Amino acid sequence: MELSYLGILLIIASLVVGYFISYVKSRFEVGAYKKELKEYKEHLNRQMKITNEGSKNLEKDLEQAKKENENLRISVKTLGQKPGRSELRLLNIYDGALRKMMLKAPGFSSAWEVALQEAEREYEENEKGFKSIIKKVFGPSIAQNSESGHIDQQKEGFN
């Protein structure tokens, strides 16, 4: 098989046309990749801005929460030093000591628990019931009288 001048020229021309087509195709692909890379960079930039703004907002919220926490801590300390609070603290300490004593002295605890439950029930009735209204309107002395009359009626009902 003999190659003629025309055959060699056709081979070279086909190589040149193939190279040209390959070059044009690669240019289109490179352009598409550059466009995609640019979109990725813009997206990354947007995400970084959003994250930065979110971080700043979180830092502001954290700083505000710290200030509010400090203000509340100061308020609690101030309220704890108001008149009557030390007595309330002492009352809570005595209550804890009394409960510990009830665990250690079983004979005392049963009578104490009955009295404590009655006192708690009366206190709840005073806070939400008719006795509260009587106390507010007429004062504690009438409420005590009506309470003792109520207790006397209960005792008579049992007899």
Side-chain angles (χ1 to χ4, degrees), residues 46-62:
R46 273 193 310 270
Q47 287 299 108
M48 289 174 61
K49 284 180 182 177
I50 291 170
T51 303
N52 187 26
E53 290 174 8
S55 296
K56 286 181 182 178
N57 288 340
L58 284 175
E59 287 175 5
K60 285 180 188 177
D61 291 345
L62 179 64

Side-chain angles (χ1 to χ4, degrees), residues 94-112:
Y94 285 165
D95 183 53
L98 189 61
R99 293 199 186 271
K100 287 179 184 178
M101 188 178 78
M102 288 188 310
L103 290 173
K104 294 177 183 176
F108 173 74
S109 66
S110 61
W112 172 253

Side-chain angles (χ1 to χ4, degrees), residues 3 11 13 19 22 26 31 33-34 46 55 57 62 70 75 77 81 86 91 116 121 124 154:
L3 288 176
I11 291 174
Y19 176 76
S22 173
S26 69
Y33 290 145
K34 283 184 179 180
R46 273 193 310 270
S55 296
N57 288 340
L62 179 64
E70 184 65 22
S75 296
K77 249 188 182 172
Q81 294 177 359
S86 60
L91 179 67
L116 183 64
R121 189 173 50 250
E124 288 174 4
Q154 284 182 344

Side-chain angles (χ1 to χ4, degrees), residues 8-81:
I8 292 175
L9 207 56
L10 283 174
I11 291 174
I12 292 174
S14 65
L15 285 174
V16 170
V17 169
Y19 176 76
F20 178 74
I21 291 172
S22 173
Y23 178 77
V24 170
K25 181 181 175 192
S26 69
R27 282 287 141 203
F28 282 124
E29 287 178 357
V30 167
Y33 290 145
K34 283 184 179 180
K35 183 179 177 183
E36 188 176 349
L37 185 61
K38 183 179 176 184
E39 289 175 2
Y40 285 145
K41 284 181 181 179
E42 289 174 359
H43 178 70
L44 181 62
N45 191 19
R46 273 193 310 270
Q47 287 299 108
M48 289 174 61
K49 284 180 182 177
I50 291 170
T51 303
N52 187 26
E53 290 174 8
S55 296
K56 286 181 182 178
N57 288 340
L58 284 175
E59 287 175 5
K60 285 180 188 177
D61 291 345
L62 179 64
E63 191 63 33
Q64 183 180 358
K66 284 182 180 179
K67 286 180 183 178
E68 190 174 317
N69 187 21
E70 184 65 22
N71 289 340
L72 289 173
R73 188 185 64 77
I74 291 170
S75 296
V76 166
K77 249 188 182 172
T78 303
L79 289 173
Q81 294 177 359

